[in-house]
Amino acid sequence: MAGRRLDQVLSELFPDFSRNRLQGWIRSGSARIDGAVLTPKHRLQGGEQVVLHAEVEETTTLEGQDIPLAVVYEDDEILIIDKPAGLVVHPAAGHRDGTLQNALLHHAPILAGIPRCGIVHRLDKDTSGLLMAAKTLSAHKALVEQLQARTVNREYLALVQGAVTAGGTVDEPIGRHRIDRKRFAVRDDGKPAVTHYRVAERFPHHTLIRVKLETGRTHQIRVHMAHVHHPLLGDPVYGGRLRIPAGAGEALVRVIRDFKRQALHAEKLGLIHPATREYIEWQSPLPQDFSELLEVLREQP
């Protein structure tokens, strides 16, 4: 290891922790080399002794809030949550509290020492379904690495407008919309994004599809399906104006008008457990509003 950077070497010696975390400990003096506080870029001579005091420090000023959580699975390493539609994942402008992050802090205060309270991916406010969180720094690092390696299995159910003739793949980069910065769009200079979809059920004017993500860009499914001219039903941002099919019965008109969110549900989540290294998969049933929507569609002539 002689001649190599200190932070690179520590990443190998302490693989449970991220490079950023180790760099912070080096700067704060929690990692000392022969008793000295050095910089992350310091070049080693070889033969030094390193002592690391890996104390978890609180990384958030948020407060825990007693918000109901549907915990699908929990152990010492990870949490799997079935998020309802309408619950914001991270605090942001307009949503300073009352978020999933606040709920997780109340459920497990130890998460205050994990980046973003352990949440390693997100779902849009009005998307329902499965979401994972890490309870330890080593689990957080492992889940982030799995997401980066695209080995996490994430499957969604989506109801889109129009008749989808067959499954396919949308491989188009996504970036912020050039004019409306709150939206995203397919852009040549965007980040790589790959969405696979297949037909699950057909209706006269809609199609239920199963979607599998390779990447996890913000609004990815919504942007990609709108790009191929099959926007999600109820999507207030990418769905365009409300469309009522010609000849629709009273029940269908009512359920379409009353469905005030994008018809998107994170149904399956599979990952390699950070501690046991075994693959585990969970499945979430459709929420009531989505189920009722499909029932009415199935009753149409």
Side-chain angles (χ1 to χ4, degrees), residues 269-285:
L269 177 63
L271 55 89
I272 298 170
H273 193 282
T276 67
R277 307 307 299 169
E278 295 179 353
Y279 179 78
I280 314 177
E281 187 174 274
W282 299 270
Q283 184 164 344
S284 165

Side-chain angles (χ1 to χ4, degrees), residues 17-18 31 49 65 67 72 95 112 120 147-148 151 162-163 181 185 228-229 258 261 264 270 274:
F17 306 118
S18 70
Q49 182 186 64
Q65 293 178 313
I67 300 168
V72 175
H95 299 282
V120 294
L147 285 168
Q148 292 172 340
T151 57
R181 305 301 291 174
V228 297
H229 309 296
D258 290 347
R261 66 180 183 94
L264 184 61

Side-chain angles (χ1 to χ4, degrees), residues 15-295:
D16 285 347
F17 306 118
S18 70
R19 176 83 67 88
N20 285 339
R21 175 68 61 165
L22 288 165
Q23 288 173 340
W25 280 333
I26 293 169
R27 294 188 185 99
S28 69
S30 295
R32 292 175 179 256
I33 311 302
D34 288 340
V37 179
L38 303 174
T39 67
K41 295 181 179 180
H42 176 81
R43 299 285 176 175
L44 296 171
Q45 299 296 314
E48 297 96 332
Q49 182 186 64
V50 56
V51 176
L52 173 66
H53 293 281
E55 294 184 3
V56 176
E57 305 156 351
E58 291 197 3
T59 61
T60 180
T61 57
L62 291 178
E63 293 184 1
Q65 293 178 313
D66 190 3
I67 300 168
L69 275 180
V71 179
V72 175
Y73 176 86
E74 182 177 12
D75 59 22
D76 292 339
E77 301 289 329
I78 60 174
L79 262 168
I80 306 297
I81 303 297
D82 196 345
K83 187 189 86 69
L87 180 62
V88 175
V89 173
H90 295 296
H95 299 282
R96 293 299 181 187
D97 57 10
T99 68
L100 177 64
Q101 203 166 329
N102 296 105
L104 285 172
L105 274 173
H106 181 270
H107 176 80
I110 193 174
L111 294 176
I114 312 298
R116 289 180 175 260
C117 299
I119 300 172
V120 294
H121 68 127
R122 64 186 292 272
L123 296 176
D124 295 334
K125 172 188 174 184
D126 290 325
T127 297
S128 56
L130 298 172
L131 185 143
M132 59 184 172
K135 294 179 67 178
T136 66
L137 290 174
S138 57
H140 185 273
K141 179 173 180 284
L143 294 182
V144 169
E145 288 175 345
Q146 287 187 53
L147 285 168
Q148 292 172 340
R150 303 183 181 182
T151 57
V152 177
N153 180 30
R154 290 175 289 170
E155 295 187 24
Y156 296 72
L157 277 174
L159 184 68
V160 300
Q161 301 184 45
V164 179
T165 56
T169 295
V170 184
D171 186 352
E172 297 286 354
I174 291 176
R176 286 201 179 271
H177 195 281
R178 296 184 188 278
I179 299 173
D180 186 350
R181 305 301 291 174
K182 293 182 179 179
R183 299 175 60 191
F184 290 80
V186 168
R187 291 182 50 167
D188 291 339
D189 60 348
K191 294 181 180 179
V194 181
T195 302
H196 305 285
Y197 63 93
R198 66 184 191 275
V199 175
E201 191 172 353
R202 291 186 173 90
F203 306 102
H205 302 280
H206 303 88
T207 308
L208 182 68
I209 60 173
R210 293 189 181 278
V211 183
K212 189 170 183 177
L213 292 181
E214 268 196 41
T215 53
R217 307 303 174 202
T218 303
H219 298 177
Q220 179 172 319
I221 295 174
R222 301 163 65 187
V223 171
H224 271 173
M225 295 316 297
H227 180 70
V228 297
H229 309 296
H230 291 292
L232 273 60
L233 178 83
D235 192 330
V237 178
Y238 304 100
R241 63 180 179 81
L242 181 67
R243 304 179 195 175
I244 302 296
E250 183 179 332
L252 181 56
V253 173
R254 174 186 56 79
V255 76
I256 289 177
R257 290 189 183 279
D258 290 347
F259 202 84
K260 302 296 186 182
R261 66 180 183 94
Q262 63 267 8
L264 184 61
H265 177 67
E267 183 190 37
K268 289 183 181 179
L269 177 63
L271 55 89
I272 298 170
H273 193 282
T276 67
R277 307 307 299 169
E278 295 179 353
Y279 179 78
I280 314 177
E281 187 174 274
W282 299 270
Q283 184 164 344
S284 165
L286 277 175
Q288 185 176 351
D289 62 343
F290 206 145
S291 293
E292 290 178 353
L293 177 61
L294 294 181
E295 288 174 7

